[in-house]
Amino acid sequence: MAGFAVLYVVYPIDGGRVAEFMNDLSDHTGDAPKGDSEATDREKNRFSARAKRYGRVGANVGGVAVRMAGRRLFGLDSETEKEAAALAMALGGLKGPIMKVAQLLATIPDALPPEYAEALGKLQSHAPPMGRGFVKRRMAAELGPAWEGKFGSFDYEAAASASLGQVHRAVAHDGRDLAVKLQYPDMRSAVEADLVQLGMLFSVHRHMRPAVETSEVLKELSERLREELDYRREARMTSLYGEIFKNDAFVRVPEVLSDLSTDRVLTMTWLDGRKLLEYKDRSLDDRNTIAQAMFRAWWYPFSHYGVIHGDPHLGNYTVFEDGAGRAAGINLLDYGCMRTFAPKFIQGVIDLYNGLLRDDRALVVHAYETWGFAGLSNELIDVLNIWARFIYGPMLDDRVRTIADDVEPGMYGRKEAFQVHQALRDKGPVTVPREFVFMDRAAIGLGGVFLHLNAELNFHNLFDEAIAGVDVGTVTQRQSEAFAQAGVPLPVAAASETSS
């Protein structure tokens, strides 16, 4: 706690964030409003769990923030490379949302200093799985003391682990292979604690003449991370994608077993497949098949239904094969990090593509305004175009090509991010709209997958195919029907447009 007090005295950051933290330590009433289920929920957003998380993460984030602030206060050169490496090392063993946030921030130009973005971008969002004791407690708490009898068999050894939970294999009484996803303990408290820490780091960076104003970024991250803890929401999103791709030959979606799922346990059918990186040395045809399926799995739901898979890292996909052992398509495995968009925003994405393609500056400006950028000068528009031409570049180029020549997957977008950072330091800052955050994250992640595969495709033709016949009216109707069927709420803007 001393680190936060020193930070506030030595460097005048956002006092509201400090007050929130201090109030949290002195007042146990800081939890979110409680419904009936929350009243008896032993893992709700608890003060004691948050305080423990503050201690584990705060020493790391707070300590680095103090050094950043102190060196700037006394006019010393920043040692950001050392500080960034220290922060990445300190966070590397922690479960929870801080890992996911760190990787996401690495993709947004100047959301954090470049050295931090590079170091944090290398973090892997997984930690060692928890043991048999946790599994028994979690399953009994969610499915009842006789939970094992609800499965034909259940494997106590985790098949996979990630930042918020771990997955176990099981078999249903009807013989189907299952994947059972268990949320780690106290993740709600961890999310709230980590978001306060993130606000602290943003507050320090905000006083260092940043190119990007991050207030909307923090709001977006907060909302998405809280959603990701709701496994019932993830079940509905899985059902939505199951409807979208029900007749698709290249993309497979698991089926949710609702009677074996709760807020913190999600049971789905197991989809057999091999890890994507096992295909790096396969034939170009195999690699291109996988890349085409990935492109479709991301762009088709966005352009036709206004929803994206916001976390396209390698662990969220496996590859299924045909009878001859050739790559035939992909299994989409995780639906926690999803983002929905109003139909008008989809049109803005298409307008930006067409504006860049035709060199129509008026359409480009209109598209940025649709995205949510405001008060843009000509200079700022030119800077944003650097990033836009990078994101859209492969789709503007009507030829067979890789996504980016001679670029390592981990460095995808770094050069362009640095150019934007340098330009905006003089002409910014610019406020990043909330919708931009996961669009940007997903585009960078998807590009990294294409680089791993070294796929060679005509991305221009693939994108044209994905947006063919798309207009606001048809997307509005299609989205409304599909979301209602799956029980997914419409985006706020979409809901207001439908009722108007």
Side-chain angles (χ1 to χ4, degrees), residues 80-113:
T80 47
E81 289 188 10
K82 292 182 180 178
E83 293 161 357
L87 182 60
M89 183 177 295
L91 296 180
L94 291 176
K95 290 180 174 68
I98 197 73
M99 300 290 292
K100 195 175 290 283
V101 167
Q103 288 187 315
L104 188 146
L105 290 176
T107 70
I108 302 174
D110 206 57
L112 290 175

Side-chain angles (χ1 to χ4, degrees), residues 189-373:
S189 302
V191 163
E192 298 307 320
D194 286 0
L195 289 174
V196 171
Q197 304 286 355
L198 181 63
M200 288 287 205
L201 201 56
F202 275 177
S203 295
V204 172
H205 186 45
R206 198 173 296 132
H207 287 80
M208 299 175 70
R209 206 163 63 89
V212 171
E213 207 292 309
T214 53
S215 58
E216 293 300 304
V217 175
L218 183 59
K219 291 177 185 176
E220 178 70 7
L221 288 174
S222 300
E223 190 168 321
R224 300 286 83 78
L225 283 172
R226 288 169 181 141
E227 287 177 349
E228 197 161 353
L229 296 177
D230 183 355
Y231 281 7
R232 293 193 188 278
R233 178 183 184 275
E234 182 173 348
R236 292 191 292 270
M237 284 294 183
T238 308
S239 297
L240 174 63
Y241 266 63
E243 180 65 23
I244 291 172
F245 288 112
K246 64 180 179 181
N247 296 317
D248 198 280
F250 303 103
V251 181
R252 292 179 178 174
V253 178
E255 178 186 346
V256 173
L257 279 69
S258 299
D259 57 332
L260 296 176
S261 300
T262 69
D263 289 344
R264 297 188 184 93
V265 168
L266 179 60
T267 303
M268 303 167 286
T269 52
W270 181 277
L271 298 180
D272 283 320
R274 302 177 63 170
K275 293 180 180 179
L276 190 143
L277 289 182
E278 294 181 21
Y279 293 82
K280 286 181 65 174
D281 298 321
R282 288 286 198 96
S283 70
L284 181 61
D285 283 346
D286 274 0
R287 289 181 280 121
N288 283 348
T289 295
I290 298 168
Q292 284 181 277
M294 289 283 294
F295 192 96
R296 177 167 175 77
W298 197 82
W299 278 109
Y300 181 79
F302 173 76
S303 61
H304 285 68
Y305 294 88
V307 59
I308 62 168
H309 198 288
D311 192 15
H313 72 74
L314 298 173
N316 285 339
Y317 308 91
T318 57
V319 178
F320 65 85
E321 298 181 337
D322 60 19
R326 302 285 302 275
I330 63 166
N331 300 313
L332 271 176
L333 302 179
D334 190 290
Y335 298 83
C337 187
M338 311 296 289
R339 212 320 178 164
T340 60
F341 300 90
K344 187 172 72 172
F345 180 82
I346 301 165
Q347 188 61 53
V349 170
I350 297 172
D351 285 344
L352 184 54
Y353 165 74
N354 284 322
L356 294 170
L357 185 66
R358 303 167 190 165
D359 198 21
D360 184 340
R361 190 174 180 86
L363 187 57
V364 167
V365 173
H366 172 71
Y368 286 139
E369 291 171 345
T370 303
W371 279 50
F373 288 97

Side-chain angles (χ1 to χ4, degrees), residues 15 38 54 81 83 86 157 207 303 322 391 406 418 431 467:
E38 290 280 313
Y54 285 136
E81 289 188 10
E83 293 161 357
E157 184 175 346
H207 287 80
S303 61
D322 60 19
I391 295 293
D406 302 320
F418 179 76
T431 299
I467 64 174

Side-chain angles (χ1 to χ4, degrees), residues 461-475:
N461 287 347
L462 289 175
F463 188 71
D464 275 357
E465 179 182 329
I467 64 174
V470 171
D471 63 75
V472 171
T474 56
V475 173

Side-chain angles (χ1 to χ4, degrees), residues 110-159:
D110 206 57
L112 290 175
E115 295 85 356
Y116 283 78
E118 182 171 353
L120 295 179
K122 295 175 182 177
L123 288 173
Q124 297 298 308
S125 59
H126 63 77
M130 299 189 71
R132 187 183 185 96
F134 157 72
V135 175
K136 294 181 75 172
R137 289 191 300 273
R138 169 62 75 221
M139 294 298 287
E142 299 299 319
L143 297 180
W147 66 270
E148 282 190 274
K150 298 179 179 181
F151 298 90
S153 64
F154 184 95
D155 189 347
Y156 276 91
E157 184 175 346

